[in-house]
Amino acid sequence: MNRRQLQAASEEARKRAVGLGEAGDVNAITELIALCWHPGPTVRRAAASALGKLTTSDAVRAAV
């Protein structure tokens, strides 16, 4: 992948993390945890924020 493709892929992953957090679906925990290991810092930040939005769930607290 070239740099432009990597940036586009990172932006898509960031948008995915934001969307999962806004949806409030605790079934997304596994995917969000995986996104916390993404090489892009903005993706990791978005995934961590999304997990924070889901912390009302005991399942998320246990996973984190």
Side-chain angles (χ1 to χ4, degrees):
M1 285 182 136
N2 65 35
R3 184 176 180 176
R4 180 171 280 159
Q5 290 170 322
L6 288 173
Q7 288 174 334
S10 285
E11 180 59 16
E12 287 302 314
R14 186 196 67 78
K15 287 179 183 178
R16 175 76 177 153
V18 170
L20 290 171
E22 290 175 354
D25 184 6
V26 295
N27 293 318
I29 295 169
T30 304
E31 185 175 353
L32 288 169
I33 290 172
L35 287 172
C36 285
W37 292 97
H38 192 278
T42 58
V43 177
R44 294 191 306 267
R45 189 176 312 118
S49 177
L51 283 170
K53 291 177 182 178
L54 300 177
T55 56
T56 58
S57 165
D58 290 336
V60 174
R61 283 193 205 119
V64 175

